[in-house]
Amino acid sequence: MRKKILLLFAGLMAIFVLAACGTKTQEDVVKDLNGKMEDLSGYKADAKMTLQMGTSPQVYNVEIWHKNPAFYRVNLMNAKKDQSQMILRNNEGVFVLTPALNKSFRFQSDWPQNSSQAYLYESLIKDIIQDKNAKFSSSKEFYIFETKTRYQNNKMLPIQEIRLNKKDLSPASVKVMDNDHNPLVTVEFKNVKFNASFEKDDFEMKKNMTRAQLNLPAMAQTMDKAFTVKYPTAVISGSKLLEEKEVTLEDGKRVVLTYKGKKPFTLVQEKIVAKPAAAIPTVVNGEPVDLGFTIGAVSGHSISWTQDGIDYMIASKKLSEAELTTLARSVQGDVVK
């Protein structure tokens, strides 16, 4: 009897040892991720991105294409609001396209290398590898990392949780959180295809603008909506609205909001019309910044973006780029003074 118990115990110990040998450590997974990136020629993926930073959640569908070494195509679509915007990177630079307005901006920028990007696989891997204090755990299906983010202009999103599928190290989900671990941006991936093939002109600006404009009838409905003035919900050094001034234009109107306080700023909102078909990209001296609901441009003492057919611009000599970005992210949802 004693011999049987000893044999049973020895067998259980052998099982535990074998199981332990099959469990990968954080160092093992990081090493595998390095190898994955070295062998990856590119990928295609779809994702659902949910933002919790406004008065109500906003959901966007994201289509991501990447071809090594530095070609990108990210298409952001909100079916509910009929919004569509695309960010491209090719040999000519970085472009931000708003197809419904036939509007495009061109940046000379290091995007996306200069900041975290929650919907780009290689950016997530870079965040994992560079954070030497990253937390690691695993479940039946996922490897889970908690890392610092590399957002240069947004201190309100310092932490992220990245889940990778164990079977192929593909991204499963990302939660970008505030200091209290509240998820403000959630990205859920699907249809990830590694080493995908691409056509020669898949990252060419004009082709992508034309292709996106095939859905213009649906998107154009957004442009006909009434011009509703929006106010930032973020509080910057106790700034208060001092004056709201409306200026009538030939083809619309402009509203200028002036805020006073220790860090005064001005918010300009202007309804715009679509540019002619022959319009060329506007060169921007600045950096593209991901506001979640759209791609903006931050430069010096100002930040600008387009949403729902309205041009927005915040300017201040007293605000940092991080504060400008925080304000811009909060100009959405219901009207709040």
Side-chain angles (χ1 to χ4, degrees):
M1 184 69 179
R2 183 180 178 185
K3 186 177 181 180
K4 289 183 177 179
I5 293 174
L6 289 173
L7 287 173
L8 178 60
F9 180 75
L12 290 172
M13 288 299 295
I15 292 172
F16 290 144
V17 169
L18 289 172
C21 291
T23 302
K24 290 193 173 185
T25 66
Q26 180 173 352
E27 291 73 19
D28 293 332
V29 178
V30 170
K31 182 179 179 181
D32 290 344
L33 289 171
N34 268 312
K36 186 84 172 181
M37 293 308 300
E38 290 177 0
D39 297 334
L40 191 62
S41 63
Y43 63 88
K44 292 181 179 179
D46 297 322
K48 182 176 77 171
M49 181 171 66
T50 304
L51 307 178
Q52 300 285 352
M53 289 174 286
T55 55
S56 60
Q58 297 187 56
V59 180
Y60 292 81
N61 296 319
V62 189
E63 183 184 51
I64 309 110
W65 292 1
H66 171 48
K67 179 182 178 182
N68 277 350
F71 280 19
Y72 292 88
R73 177 185 180 273
V74 178
N75 196 15
L76 296 160
M77 298 161 284
N78 184 331
K80 183 178 179 181
K81 292 188 176 181
D82 299 321
Q83 296 178 38
S84 176
Q85 194 171 44
M86 185 181 297
I87 184 166
L88 287 171
R89 177 168 178 164
N90 55 32
N91 286 331
E92 297 177 353
V94 177
F95 298 87
V96 174
L97 314 181
T98 305
L101 300 173
N102 200 36
K103 184 177 181 180
S104 61
F105 293 102
R106 179 182 176 183
F107 299 82
Q108 292 299 325
S109 168
D110 291 331
W111 183 93
Q113 309 302 330
N114 52 6
S115 178
S116 291
Q117 307 293 335
Y119 39 68
L120 295 183
Y121 179 59
E122 66 284 3
S123 178
L124 298 173
I125 303 310
K126 187 175 182 179
D127 291 340
I128 290 172
I129 293 172
Q130 289 193 354
D131 187 355
K132 303 305 180 184
N133 296 315
K135 298 178 182 179
F136 173 77
S137 61
S138 65
S139 64
K140 183 178 179 180
E141 297 182 54
F142 308 113
Y143 296 119
I144 305 164
F145 289 86
E146 184 178 298
T147 78
K148 295 181 294 186
T149 64
R150 294 178 292 114
Y151 292 109
Q152 296 178 350
N153 302 319
N154 196 355
K155 303 301 182 183
M156 66 184 292
L157 298 173
I159 311 164
Q160 63 187 345
E161 179 194 271
I162 302 168
R163 290 179 176 247
L164 305 174
N165 291 301
K166 282 186 172 181
K167 60 180 181 179
D168 60 358
L169 297 179
S170 62
S173 66
V174 180
K175 293 180 181 179
V176 190
M177 300 173 283
D178 62 17
N179 283 305
D180 296 321
H181 282 73
N182 298 310
L184 301 183
V185 180
T186 302
V187 181
E188 299 169 280
F189 291 89
K190 61 180 181 179
N191 303 327
V192 180
K193 183 179 180 181
F194 290 128
N195 298 317
S197 59
F198 299 97
E199 298 295 330
K200 183 178 179 181
D201 54 357
D202 274 347
F203 299 90
E204 196 268 332
M205 191 275 287
K206 290 184 179 180
K207 176 183 176 179
N208 279 286
M209 179 69 88
T210 301
R211 181 164 49 190
Q213 286 174 333
L214 293 176
N215 295 321
L216 265 179
M219 291 188 292
Q221 295 174 7
T222 302
M223 304 301 114
D224 296 330
K225 292 182 179 179
F227 181 3
T228 301
V229 180
K230 294 184 179 180
Y231 305 82
T233 58
V235 177
I236 301 294
S237 299
S239 298
K240 294 183 179 180
L241 181 62
L242 174 65
E243 181 184 31
E244 179 174 330
K245 184 177 180 181
E246 182 175 316
V247 180
T248 302
L249 306 175
E250 289 185 6
D251 52 0
K253 69 177 181 179
R254 177 187 300 137
V255 175
V256 181
L257 306 179
T258 303
Y259 285 77
K260 66 177 181 179
K262 293 182 179 180
K263 295 186 176 182
F265 63 90
T266 301
L267 169 58
V268 181
Q269 306 174 47
E270 181 177 333
K271 188 172 179 63
I272 56 177
V273 296
K275 291 190 174 184
I280 60 175
T282 301
V283 178
V284 177
N285 293 320
E287 287 288 329
V289 57
D290 188 352
L291 299 177
F293 55 87
T294 190
I295 304 296
V298 62
S299 175
H301 302 292
S302 68
I303 186 170
S304 57
W305 70 97
T306 300
Q307 185 182 17
D308 292 340
I310 308 296
D311 267 350
Y312 297 86
M313 190 270 291
I314 299 174
S316 173
K317 293 184 178 180
K318 298 293 185 179
L319 295 178
S320 66
E321 289 189 356
E323 289 170 323
L324 287 169
T325 303
T326 297
L327 271 177
R329 281 184 177 272
S330 75
V331 182
Q332 54 177 303
D334 297 332
V335 174
V336 178
K337 293 189 180 180

